[in-house]
Amino acid sequence: MDDFDSQDPVSLLKFNTLQHFHQYPPKPNHWLSNPNFDETKVQIIELVDAAINQAEDLEVIRYPSSTEDNFQFERGYGLQLIEDPFCCDFSRCSNEERFDKFVFVLTSIAEGLKQDRRTNKRDLYYQNAQHFSNQTELDDIVCKIVSMFGIPRPLLGIAATSKGLVAGSLQFYTENGTPTDCELTEVGVQIPEQIYACYGFATRAKFILVVEKDTVFQRISQECSRAGCFTDVVLVTGKGVPDVATRRFVHDLCVRFSLPVLILTDCDPYGIEIMLTYRYGSRSMALCRETLAVPSAFWLGILPSDIQTMEVPVDLQIPLSRADDKKLRDIYRRGYVQSMKSLTEEIEILDRLRHKIEIEQVAELPGFSVLDYVLLKIQTLEII
């Protein structure tokens, strides 16, 4: 790293990110690394057809269980499915109606691949709503089918529906060759559902800032535009709990450019959960063997310890609810969380304070700038 400056916080963050990838190089996915896409496609179609035939002949569908024992936390990579996971055998005789729905989705995937036609879960549901009680039922079946094969969803012809936005120093071409310049808009560009099909990525950014909420994203975007610092950052929001497309997008940009990723959330248990999802992944994605986690990421804030240092007025502090308490205890008990002293200390502070704060409320304080807060946190490296 020729331009490394030990006195510059952003350079230190970049150095740490490079060190992380040196120590924990991204694991290749053999389905994505094969340059012969047609060969890969034929192999996938054969696997899906074999699964359909097995389901029809044996009247049993087998997929990895979501039991806690099937997962492990791997340092440098996050939550992973174990090598030989315990599997569930779902038989037609146990629930014929649901079994037929599994076969229907498998058949839809096979037909889409053979006709070179892609879809997403939302379209698949609305085109076949008569077969499913609701979208959640279809989503669960798709997740289990993806876990059966361990093949990334895009290669199964199922695009990840995207609600996330990106702004700042990033240019790329979409699948159909449309140039996209994220610096040209403050409101953000919708994150592409098919990032694997996009190309020509370029950036001058020094870091990626992932923001929990759209309202905060819009505020920072406007402040960056006015301050003329759009070229320094790629700004991303998943609009709450991030979808697969947004997480894949952040992961891909981090790996592609070795950029530090900083995460800004509300100071509450659900904000912590969202930060952990970006950073270490989730069970559902580990079950599907999809690499979306960014373990090199930093939690910038708002940290529970910031509540006191920022002198947040009492009337802006919201008491923790029962649901908050339950979520906080669940997070705290996780083995991988317990292994991180600085994170557990922040969780303990939040538990002692018994109050949470939302960024939007703090942003309304006279003289407060979310962008200034972010830059100060970077400058002081008061991050986790």
Side-chain angles (χ1 to χ4, degrees), residues 208-220:
I208 300 167
L209 179 62
V210 178
V211 183
E212 175 185 350
K213 292 182 175 177
D214 182 37
T215 51
V216 182
F217 171 93
Q218 300 297 337
R219 184 183 289 267
I220 296 178

Side-chain angles (χ1 to χ4, degrees), residues 147-377:
S147 73
M148 286 167 57
F149 302 114
I151 298 172
R153 294 165 199 246
L155 296 187
L156 288 171
I158 305 172
T161 305
S162 171
K163 62 181 170 61
L165 298 173
V166 56
S169 179
L170 183 68
Q171 297 79 37
F172 60 90
Y173 292 88
T174 61
E175 183 179 12
N176 60 11
T178 303
T180 302
D181 189 344
C182 303
E183 277 189 59
L184 299 181
T185 173
E186 291 182 5
V187 298
V189 173
Q190 184 162 352
I191 287 173
E193 295 181 348
Q194 291 283 9
I195 188 172
Y196 296 137
C198 298
Y199 61 96
F201 285 87
T203 184
R204 291 171 291 168
K206 298 176 181 177
F207 60 92
I208 300 167
L209 179 62
V210 178
V211 183
E212 175 185 350
K213 292 182 175 177
D214 182 37
T215 51
V216 182
F217 171 93
Q218 300 297 337
R219 184 183 289 267
I220 296 178
S221 181
Q222 292 168 10
E223 291 183 10
C224 281
S225 181
R226 289 196 296 267
C229 59
F230 242 176
T231 57
D232 293 335
V233 61
V234 175
L235 188 62
V236 174
T237 181
K239 295 183 177 181
V241 178
D243 52 46
V244 173
T246 301
R247 289 166 57 193
R248 183 179 289 126
F249 188 76
V250 173
H251 174 269
D252 187 82
L253 289 185
C254 178
V255 172
R256 187 186 297 269
F257 297 111
S258 298
L259 287 175
V261 173
L262 303 166
I263 303 170
L264 179 64
T265 69
D266 284 340
C267 181
D268 64 15
Y270 291 91
I272 297 173
E273 183 73 277
I274 287 171
M275 178 274 295
L276 291 173
T277 299
Y278 278 112
R279 193 164 168 177
Y280 299 120
S282 62
R283 281 193 195 177
S284 61
M285 289 302 102
L287 198 63
C288 299
R289 300 177 180 87
E290 296 200 54
T291 305
L292 307 177
V294 185
S296 62
F298 300 91
W299 185 23
L300 182 140
I302 292 177
L303 305 180
S305 56
D306 289 340
I307 295 179
Q308 295 169 313
T309 57
M310 292 168 64
E311 299 182 346
V312 178
V314 175
D315 60 328
L316 294 185
Q317 299 181 31
I318 307 167
L320 294 179
S321 66
R322 287 185 179 180
D324 289 326
D325 272 332
K326 185 176 183 300
K327 172 61 70 175
L328 198 63
R329 287 195 300 272
D330 171 64
I331 293 171
Y332 189 77
R333 284 196 297 260
R334 297 174 194 173
Y336 68 93
V337 170
Q338 282 294 316
S339 68
M340 298 172 230
K341 186 172 183 292
S342 56
L343 179 55
T344 56
E345 287 176 347
E346 291 294 335
I347 294 174
E348 289 165 0
I349 291 172
L350 185 58
D351 187 48
R352 285 199 304 272
L353 291 174
R354 308 303 304 158
H355 285 79
K356 60 186 179 181
I357 58 172
E358 297 178 348
I359 305 174
E360 300 101 315
Q361 292 179 305
V362 178
E364 296 302 324
L365 292 173
F368 184 87
S369 161
V370 182
L371 178 59
D372 286 347
Y373 167 79
V374 169
L375 296 177
L376 178 64
K377 294 284 286 187

Side-chain angles (χ1 to χ4, degrees), residues 63-240:
Y63 52 83
S65 167
S66 58
T67 179
E68 186 175 349
D69 293 338
N70 266 352
F71 303 93
Q72 64 183 5
F73 179 78
E74 189 173 348
R75 187 174 180 83
Y77 296 100
L79 291 171
Q80 306 279 305
L81 190 67
I82 62 175
E83 191 67 31
D84 186 21
F86 170 76
C87 290
C88 295
D89 287 333
F90 176 53
S91 64
R92 183 189 292 275
C93 63
S94 65
N95 189 328
E96 184 174 355
E97 182 183 4
R98 184 167 170 80
F99 187 91
D100 289 341
K101 291 176 182 179
F102 262 88
V103 176
F104 173 81
V105 176
L106 280 167
T107 304
S108 298
I109 290 172
E111 290 175 351
L113 289 170
K114 292 169 185 175
Q115 297 171 18
D116 201 24
R117 184 185 70 242
R118 284 200 302 265
T119 186
N120 57 48
K121 292 185 295 184
R122 183 175 55 198
D123 290 343
L124 190 59
Y125 171 71
Y126 283 111
Q127 290 165 8
N128 306 278
Q130 71 276 14
H131 294 291
F132 304 97
S133 56
N134 51 47
Q135 178 77 60
T136 302
E137 182 184 31
L138 173 64
D139 292 351
D140 179 63
I141 291 173
V142 168
C143 185
K144 285 179 168 59
I145 287 174
V146 173
S147 73
M148 286 167 57
F149 302 114
I151 298 172
R153 294 165 199 246
L155 296 187
L156 288 171
I158 305 172
T161 305
S162 171
K163 62 181 170 61
L165 298 173
V166 56
S169 179
L170 183 68
Q171 297 79 37
F172 60 90
Y173 292 88
T174 61
E175 183 179 12
N176 60 11
T178 303
T180 302
D181 189 344
C182 303
E183 277 189 59
L184 299 181
T185 173
E186 291 182 5
V187 298
V189 173
Q190 184 162 352
I191 287 173
E193 295 181 348
Q194 291 283 9
I195 188 172
Y196 296 137
C198 298
Y199 61 96
F201 285 87
T203 184
R204 291 171 291 168
K206 298 176 181 177
F207 60 92
I208 300 167
L209 179 62
V210 178
V211 183
E212 175 185 350
K213 292 182 175 177
D214 182 37
T215 51
V216 182
F217 171 93
Q218 300 297 337
R219 184 183 289 267
I220 296 178
S221 181
Q222 292 168 10
E223 291 183 10
C224 281
S225 181
R226 289 196 296 267
C229 59
F230 242 176
T231 57
D232 293 335
V233 61
V234 175
L235 188 62
V236 174
T237 181
K239 295 183 177 181

Side-chain angles (χ1 to χ4, degrees), residues 14-31:
K14 172 80 170 181
F15 179 76
N16 284 340
T17 303
L18 290 169
Q19 286 290 94
H20 174 89
F21 286 129
H22 177 74
Q23 189 172 1
Y24 307 105
K27 294 182 178 180
N29 184 305
H30 76 277
W31 293 108

